[in-house]
Amino acid sequence: MSDFGKLNYINVGPHGTFKPSGDLKTSPGDIDAIFAHLTASNADRLSVHFHGGLVAEGKGLRIAESMFPVYTSAGAHAVSFIWETGLIETLWRNLTAISETKLFQKLLRYAIRELTKRLGADLTGRGEGVPMSLPEIEAELEKLEKFEGFDATARGGAARLDEEELEFIRDEMELDLLLEIEQDEAFGELADNLSAEDTKLRPSVANELNTADGRGPTLFKIAKLLASVVFRVLRRYIRGRDHGLYPTVVEELVREFYLDDFGGWVWGNMKDVSAQMFLSNTGPISDASHPGTYFLERLAAHQAANPGFAVDLIGHSAGSIAICNLFRSLEKSGIALSVRNVVFLAPACTTRLMHDEVVARPERYKRFRMFTMSDAYEQKDHLVKGVYTRSLLYLISGVLEEEADTPIAGMERFWTAQAPFDVPHLAKTATWLQEADKNRAVMSVTTDQAPGLNSTAQKHGDFDNDDPTRASLTALVAET
């Protein structure tokens, strides 16, 4: 087996170009060298791996080196695309920083208190409509699994609520919240000194609160914004789109008070880079050209000259978005490429994108397989301990995408094909993934199955280092 080196990775620079982005740089000549090696070595298969677009350059290189033996042991040449954004670090840092502010902690407690009053269920054991006391809320917040014992009761109560009536009680909720926070002297002192604390608020919200004329107007504006949070959480419960009481409150607080500086822009930029690396190249190939497209052109030419040359595409997390954009690029440019396996590991692409580029286009590949966690494990995979009690995919669905609870391809939650997830593209994707005897979805934890059908990853980031998943990838690539 040869050693890992520049023949085994392609670094994508700023705006999806060959330009260097750090210590790594891939040139057009480096890609030429990959195909010269494929010809000289008489390789008959190639595995192209896209790591999640959430990591920094150094980690991307380490992942590429880690995946190298998975594919080479199956007789394939391995090439990994390294495209870094550092999003996971940004999300962890921002969630932690926001949660440490006094304002967030106050907002969280009063939103939960109002919700326990409005959810239409007896969450306290003292009758419907009786809110939890602040000490009771504190006790739940101290737990690792926060408010988990309340979710079934809350959903049952929400089923008796009428969405049309929510608008009519919005003013009432604002008044309730205003009266509550006005009685909290610590909240009042906080409102008097918002500019003294690094609140992490989105600029528009910070400006609105900081320019209020006195404590009363400031608290009124906070109550109004907080009522909007409670309103949206209630609406999500009524529609069956909540992620559990505590996670949903955190998501809606972030959306209302913090989103601009939270990480949404990094997520959007990451998706842009995943598409830009496959933009058309015009004029002489240079640092401003797009390595993904140059690679595809060389790969298609190599495959045409070597009939039967197998190409497998593997994408972890946001790497699935890159593969979908690869398929779009092939179609737009007219590049003819035969793909054998498409493998998604805990895909972070939307279900709509996967449906349009994979499910509805079976002529583009010979076989599809997804490895992902069951929803039970997805809920146990806490992205930030003590702060956000769901997985990265839950956060993407609940916060980073434009619509709260956007269906994400790797989330079993959206595979019911029943309301509220019965719209055509969701139902078709769910049915397609779970079609009998097709083995398109391997749910972790699955063991003792045939080669290529096992996974024990219990965290979103584990799929590229989980031994049964890695063995399954090797088995898939080794097949003739």
Side-chain angles (χ1 to χ4, degrees):
M1 183 187 301
S2 60
D3 293 331
F4 175 83
K6 294 199 74 171
L7 295 175
N8 304 109
Y9 68 85
I10 296 170
N11 186 64
V12 180
H15 307 294
T17 66
F18 280 106
K19 296 176 182 178
S21 57
D23 295 333
L24 296 181
K25 183 183 188 308
T26 293
S27 69
D30 292 329
I31 292 179
D32 293 338
I34 290 173
F35 289 97
H37 172 78
L38 290 175
T39 299
S41 64
N42 292 317
D44 66 353
R45 64 196 66 196
L46 173 69
S47 294
V48 186
H49 185 94
F50 294 86
H51 66 66
L54 314 178
V55 300
E57 180 183 271
K59 186 172 182 181
L61 183 62
R62 291 193 295 273
I63 292 171
E65 187 168 7
S66 170
M67 298 307 296
F68 174 74
V70 172
Y71 303 124
T72 55
S73 63
H77 183 79
V79 171
S80 288
F81 273 75
I82 298 173
W83 52 305
E84 70 278 2
T85 64
L87 175 63
I88 195 68
E89 290 87 354
T90 299
L91 293 177
W92 191 93
R93 182 174 61 249
N94 286 354
L95 270 172
T96 301
I98 288 169
S99 73
E100 290 174 348
T101 66
K102 295 176 183 177
L103 179 60
F104 176 83
Q105 292 300 326
K106 288 290 187 183
L107 295 171
L108 177 65
R109 283 154 177 77
Y110 281 105
I112 291 173
R113 180 169 162 80
E114 183 68 14
L115 281 163
T116 61
K117 175 180 178 180
R118 300 288 179 178
L119 270 169
D122 183 3
L123 296 177
T124 64
R126 297 192 297 273
E128 291 184 14
V130 178
M132 292 182 73
S133 67
L134 289 177
E136 287 173 328
I137 292 172
E138 292 290 345
E140 282 297 320
L141 290 174
E142 288 295 320
K143 297 177 181 179
L144 181 62
E145 302 288 348
K146 306 177 193 302
F147 295 91
E148 292 297 315
F150 293 78
D151 284 337
T153 304
R155 291 188 181 110
R160 301 197 298 272
L161 299 178
D162 186 341
E163 186 171 341
E164 292 184 1
E165 293 180 0
L166 284 185
E167 287 290 351
F168 294 102
I169 65 171
R170 198 165 187 163
D171 290 344
E172 183 182 316
M173 290 192 295
E174 286 181 20
L175 181 59
D176 272 0
L177 287 162
L178 180 59
L179 292 174
E180 289 268 7
I181 64 179
E182 280 182 332
Q183 296 175 36
D184 186 336
E185 184 60 28
F187 209 138
E189 292 176 3
L190 183 60
D192 288 339
N193 298 281
L194 281 177
S195 60
E197 183 191 27
D198 184 5
T199 59
K200 309 298 181 183
L201 294 168
R202 75 163 84 208
S204 59
V205 172
N207 182 65
E208 181 180 356
L209 297 182
N210 285 324
T211 57
D213 186 17
R215 176 185 290 193
T218 298
L219 291 177
F220 174 78
K221 290 183 178 181
I222 290 174
K224 189 176 184 67
L225 293 170
L226 197 51
S228 293
V229 169
V230 174
F231 173 85
R232 289 201 300 273
V233 174
L234 287 170
R235 186 173 62 186
R236 285 178 63 178
Y237 263 96
I238 292 170
R239 294 178 176 180
R241 307 302 295 268
D242 68 278
H243 290 170
L245 180 61
Y246 175 79
T248 307
V249 173
V250 172
E251 291 167 7
E252 293 300 337
L253 283 173
V254 168
R255 281 182 168 272
E256 184 70 27
F257 286 89
Y258 302 97
L259 188 59
D260 287 356
D261 289 335
F262 176 74
W265 66 273
V266 184
W267 179 245
N269 180 67
M270 185 279 305
K271 291 196 287 187
D272 289 343
V273 172
S274 77
Q276 290 167 344
M277 71 172 92
F278 297 114
L279 292 176
S280 298
N281 290 322
T282 57
I285 299 298
S286 67
D287 276 1
S289 300
H290 302 285
T293 300
Y294 187 69
F295 174 80
L296 291 178
E297 291 169 345
R298 292 301 315 268
L299 178 56
H302 182 83
Q303 191 177 61
N306 297 271
F309 184 79
V311 175
D312 298 324
L313 305 176
I314 304 95
H316 180 202
S317 190
S320 61
I321 302 174
I323 290 176
C324 289
N325 285 323
L326 179 155
F327 279 129
R328 283 179 170 174
S329 176
L330 288 174
E331 182 167 33
K332 183 176 180 179
S333 62
I335 297 173
L337 182 67
S338 175
V339 175
R340 183 178 62 160
N341 289 313
V342 174
V343 183
F344 283 177
L345 308 174
C349 62
T350 65
T351 309
R352 165 62 77 182
L353 181 62
M354 190 180 88
H355 170 271
D356 292 352
E357 304 302 330
V358 177
V359 178
R361 303 299 300 273
E363 74 280 2
R364 289 176 166 177
Y365 53 91
K366 293 182 179 178
R367 178 169 55 185
F368 176 89
R369 186 157 300 165
M370 179 194 296
F371 297 83
T372 198
M373 289 189 289
S374 68
D375 190 55
Y377 284 108
E378 206 78 58
Q379 293 190 33
K380 293 177 182 177
D381 180 19
H382 296 187
L383 180 63
V384 182
K385 295 293 184 186
V387 178
Y388 185 70
T389 55
R390 293 290 185 266
S391 69
L392 175 62
L393 293 190
Y394 262 99
L395 188 78
I396 291 170
S397 170
V399 176
L400 298 186
E401 289 292 343
E402 184 174 349
E403 177 187 355
D405 196 40
T406 291
I408 300 299
M411 294 178 67
E412 186 189 28
R413 158 183 176 77
F414 300 107
W415 297 4
T416 64
Q418 298 177 1
F421 309 125
D422 56 351
V423 296
H425 76 278
L426 290 180
K428 181 177 179 181
T429 300
T431 301
W432 181 83
L433 281 171
Q434 300 171 95
E435 187 176 350
D437 301 323
K438 295 297 184 180
N439 294 322
R440 294 189 180 114
V442 176
M443 306 307 299
S444 185
V445 171
T446 298
T447 58
D448 299 324
Q449 297 298 306
L453 296 171
N454 297 289
S455 177
T456 60
Q458 296 180 37
K459 293 183 179 298
H460 179 79
D462 285 353
F463 283 88
D464 54 12
N465 55 41
D466 172 62
D467 287 340
T469 307
R470 290 164 66 90
S472 291
L473 291 174
T474 299
L476 278 171
V477 172
E479 291 182 7
T480 56

